[in-house]
Amino acid sequence: MSKKNIKIIVSYNGKNYCGWQKQKESLGIQGELEYACKKAFNQKEVELIGSGRTDAGVHALGQVANFLVDTKIPVEKFPEILNNILPKDISVLAAEEVDIDFHSRYSAHRKTYRYYIYPSKIRSPFYKDISYQVKYKLDIDKMKNEIKYLEGRHDFCGFMSSGSSVKTTVREIYRAELYEEGDRIVVELEGNGFLYNMVRIIVGTIVDIGRGRIKESLKVIIQSKDRNRAGHTAPAQGLFLKNVEY
Amino acid sequence: MSKKNIKIIVSYNGKNYCGWQKQKESLGIQGELEYACKKAFNQKEVELIGSGRTDAGVHALGQVANFLVDTKIPVEKFPEILNNILPKDISVLAAEEVDIDFHSRYSAHRKTYRYYIYPSKIRSPFYKDISYQVKYKLDIDKMKNEIKYLEGRHDFCGFMSSGSSVKTTVREIYRAELYEEGDRIVVELEGNGFLYNMVRIIVGTIVDIGRGRIKESLKVIIQSKDRNRAGHTAPAQGLFLKNVEY
């Protein structure tokens, strides 16, 4: 029997996890999914390839991963079977068989991230693990205008945390939007790829601009390629990997 | 020094609580708030009067409570001081001094409840404690029409769980609405008062109508005054006490 290549779409609340990747004493989202796959399909080993890692506390609405499996169970049944094994804060939304060459990371060509800001002096019992509470008054119109400077092809080396080795720090952002949704502010970024902590540094910078702590325009900060001129790194809990396109 | 009567507005995530009221081995929301008040204002005893109880797992966006206190701390500082003591899933949104006769329960004359339904075959890692997942296909247009029969003055004795003694089961509903919000369905009910489990039985009935399990109109079910003709009691975790008016 030949192995099938299965693509899954996964949503998770990252609050209780060390991130996507396995750590010494913690399975991580990837480890939880591999455990569920091994158990569900009676496999000795399953290697799950994610579209990319997410850090501790970061969430996903539509993370993508793939794995090889040798089973007669029809793929339509995979989500239900896996969800019965997985913890309740991880959910497989869909599964399909894909070409054997499909690779969640290498084949990805577009990602969308969403970031939730909760602008309030008083904390919310509902948003504490899924939003970034900002206590300062924000100039939302200014933030809406400034965010547009991200669109296009730029060298984002000023918006990267150290600790990753990449061939190039040039990325293209297809869409950068900031809008109000209920009592929160949403930042949505769609691009061909993102550097380590890039979304969180962008959000931190736009918040610093919105509260007047940074006076420079985002346009100038991007051009400077200087991490010191960008703002703080916004916390993990506001960040959601929304979807990955192939 | 004479005691002041303080009205507070409180939001809480009811997931980890036995409900508003203290139980033998658990403080409840009320107990947590009383503990925080005693500590913050250095009082031996504080008796907190809520607008009404909420059951285990039920949430509040704007519960109202009042208490007497003897302190020189200005009332504007109360939310911050109390929130520094309270667990992170309870938050005091506002505080003001009110007339000594103000009583959160007796003075209330209008309450609004909101209920979140998540219509999906696959569970969500984000909604599990704050929505009711319904796996069946729902006729939302029908539900929108049917909910309107609740508006007006009716005897709701068919929409009450046993275990409460009330003088009358007649209540007036000023506004009954059902609408889609993102990927969820919201039911919002505003009325002069609600019987025990009334909102949850109404939601259960409207879901049963929406999925075709109940064929009768809500109009007929209300008129029947028969608990057996109404639907199931929707679970606690979808229910939010939105606000209380005086």
Side-chain angles (χ1 to χ4, degrees):
Chain A
M1 203 177 185
S2 65
K3 290 204 172 185
K4 295 170 189 164
N5 191 11
I6 306 295
K7 175 190 173 197
I8 56 174
I9 300 176
V10 189
S11 174
Y12 50 84
N13 184 328
K15 178 192 167 194
N16 295 318
Y17 294 92
C18 59
W20 175 258
Q21 227 179 6
K22 277 168 278 193
Q23 301 288 338
K24 263 184 195 167
E25 309 207 351
S26 174
L27 280 180
I29 315 287
Q30 183 191 5
E32 294 284 357
L33 286 161
E34 286 177 350
Y35 171 81
C37 288
K38 282 189 274 187
K39 204 169 164 188
F41 310 120
N42 198 24
Q43 310 279 300
K44 267 199 181 157
E45 275 309 318
V46 168
E47 193 200 352
L48 193 81
I49 299 162
S51 77
R53 300 171 197 167
T54 52
D55 280 336
V58 173
H59 316 288
L61 299 169
Q63 168 70 293
V64 173
N66 70 293
F67 60 97
L68 297 174
V69 70
D70 193 357
T71 181
K72 282 182 177 166
I73 300 172
V75 71
E76 312 84 69
K77 299 208 168 165
F78 282 22
E80 200 187 334
I81 293 171
L82 291 169
N83 289 338
N84 282 336
I85 302 167
L86 286 164
K88 288 217 170 11
D89 44 14
I90 303 177
S91 182
V92 175
L93 306 180
E96 59 170 324
E97 190 179 345
V98 286
D99 192 273
I100 200 73
D101 295 328
F102 176 87
H103 186 286
S104 295
R105 183 146 41 97
Y106 301 144
S107 313
H109 68 257
R110 190 182 283 242
K111 275 188 182 179
T112 305
Y113 280 96
R114 188 181 277 184
Y115 196 100
Y116 282 98
I117 297 164
Y118 178 53
S120 169
K121 291 203 173 178
I122 295 179
R123 71 174 184 228
S124 155
F126 301 101
Y127 296 152
K128 67 189 177 75
D129 301 312
I130 54 169
S131 301
Y132 172 25
Q133 184 191 345
V134 174
K135 295 186 180 185
Y136 307 99
K137 199 173 153 45
L138 296 173
D139 182 342
I140 296 175
D141 287 334
K142 190 175 185 187
M143 294 164 81
K144 279 183 189 169
N145 291 330
E146 286 286 323
I147 199 109
K148 285 293 167 197
Y149 291 119
L150 291 166
E151 292 182 350
R153 200 176 157 80
H154 305 286
D155 185 343
F156 284 102
C157 65
F159 293 86
M160 178 178 64
S161 291
S162 56
S164 61
S165 58
V166 284
K167 281 184 208 154
T168 167
T169 50
V170 173
R171 295 289 183 276
E172 185 168 355
I173 293 192
Y174 306 119
R175 185 170 60 86
E177 276 184 298
L178 186 145
Y179 54 91
E180 289 165 275
E181 191 182 281
D183 48 9
R184 289 188 290 176
I185 298 165
V186 180
V187 176
E188 210 165 282
L189 302 174
E190 192 178 329
N192 62 356
F194 292 87
L195 302 166
Y196 185 53
N197 273 350
M198 180 169 148
V199 180
R200 289 167 57 187
I201 298 171
I202 285 173
V203 171
T205 306
I206 206 80
V207 166
D208 284 340
I209 290 173
R211 62 175 274 215
R213 192 187 186 191
I214 289 181
K215 313 279 183 206
E216 281 187 312
S217 167
L218 196 54
K219 189 179 179 179
V220 176
I221 298 169
I222 296 168
Q223 284 165 354
S224 77
K225 300 179 195 174
D226 181 356
R227 176 68 189 89
N228 294 318
R229 285 168 77 174
H232 68 289
T233 305
Q237 80 268 10
L239 184 60
F240 291 71
L241 172 56
K242 193 186 166 198
N243 68 292
V244 188
E245 286 171 66
Y246 293 89
Chain B
M1 203 176 183
S2 67
K3 291 205 171 186
K4 296 170 189 164
N5 191 11
I6 305 295
K7 175 191 174 196
I8 56 174
I9 300 176
V10 189
S11 175
Y12 49 84
N13 184 327
K15 179 193 168 193
N16 296 317
Y17 294 92
C18 59
W20 175 259
Q21 228 181 6
K22 279 169 278 193
Q23 301 288 338
K24 262 185 197 166
E25 309 208 349
S26 172
L27 279 180
I29 315 287
Q30 183 190 6
E32 294 284 357
L33 286 161
E34 287 178 350
Y35 171 80
C37 288
K38 282 189 274 187
K39 205 169 162 186
F41 311 120
N42 197 22
Q43 310 279 299
K44 266 197 179 159
E45 275 307 318
V46 168
E47 193 200 352
L48 193 81
I49 299 162
S51 78
R53 299 173 199 166
T54 51
D55 280 335
V58 173
H59 315 290
L61 299 170
Q63 167 71 292
V64 172
N66 70 294
F67 61 97
L68 297 174
V69 71
D70 193 356
T71 181
K72 281 182 178 167
I73 300 171
V75 71
E76 312 84 70
K77 299 210 168 165
F78 282 22
E80 200 188 333
I81 294 171
L82 291 169
N83 289 338
N84 281 336
I85 303 167
L86 286 164
K88 287 218 172 8
D89 45 13
I90 303 177
S91 182
V92 175
L93 305 180
E96 60 170 325
E97 190 180 343
V98 287
D99 192 274
I100 201 74
D101 294 330
F102 176 87
H103 187 286
S104 295
R105 183 148 40 98
Y106 301 145
S107 313
H109 67 258
R110 188 182 284 240
K111 276 188 182 179
T112 306
Y113 281 95
R114 188 182 276 184
Y115 196 100
Y116 283 97
I117 296 164
Y118 179 52
S120 170
K121 289 202 174 176
I122 296 180
R123 70 174 183 226
S124 156
F126 300 102
Y127 296 153
K128 67 189 177 74
D129 302 312
I130 53 167
S131 302
Y132 172 25
Q133 184 191 345
V134 175
K135 296 187 180 186
Y136 308 98
K137 200 174 153 41
L138 296 173
D139 183 341
I140 295 175
D141 287 334
K142 190 173 184 187
M143 292 163 83
K144 279 182 190 171
N145 291 332
E146 286 287 324
I147 199 108
K148 286 294 166 195
Y149 291 119
L150 292 166
E151 292 182 350
R153 200 176 157 80
H154 305 285
D155 184 342
F156 285 102
C157 66
F159 293 85
M160 178 178 65
S161 291
S162 56
S164 61
S165 59
V166 283
K167 280 183 207 155
T168 167
T169 50
V170 174
R171 294 290 183 275
E172 183 166 357
I173 292 192
Y174 306 119
R175 185 171 59 88
E177 276 184 298
L178 186 144
Y179 54 92
E180 289 165 275
E181 190 182 281
D183 49 8
R184 290 187 288 176
I185 298 166
V186 179
V187 176
E188 209 164 284
L189 301 175
E190 192 178 330
N192 62 356
F194 292 86
L195 302 167
Y196 185 52
N197 274 349
M198 180 169 148
V199 180
R200 290 167 56 186
I201 298 170
I202 285 173
V203 171
T205 306
I206 206 82
V207 165
D208 283 340
I209 289 172
R211 64 176 274 217
R213 191 186 187 191
I214 289 181
K215 314 278 183 206
E216 280 186 313
S217 166
L218 195 53
K219 188 180 177 177
V220 177
I221 298 169
I222 295 167
Q223 284 167 353
S224 78
K225 301 180 195 174
D226 181 356
R227 176 68 189 90
N228 294 318
R229 285 169 75 174
H232 67 288
T233 305
Q237 79 268 11
L239 184 60
F240 290 70
L241 173 56
K242 192 186 169 199
N243 68 292
V244 188
E245 287 171 67
Y246 292 90

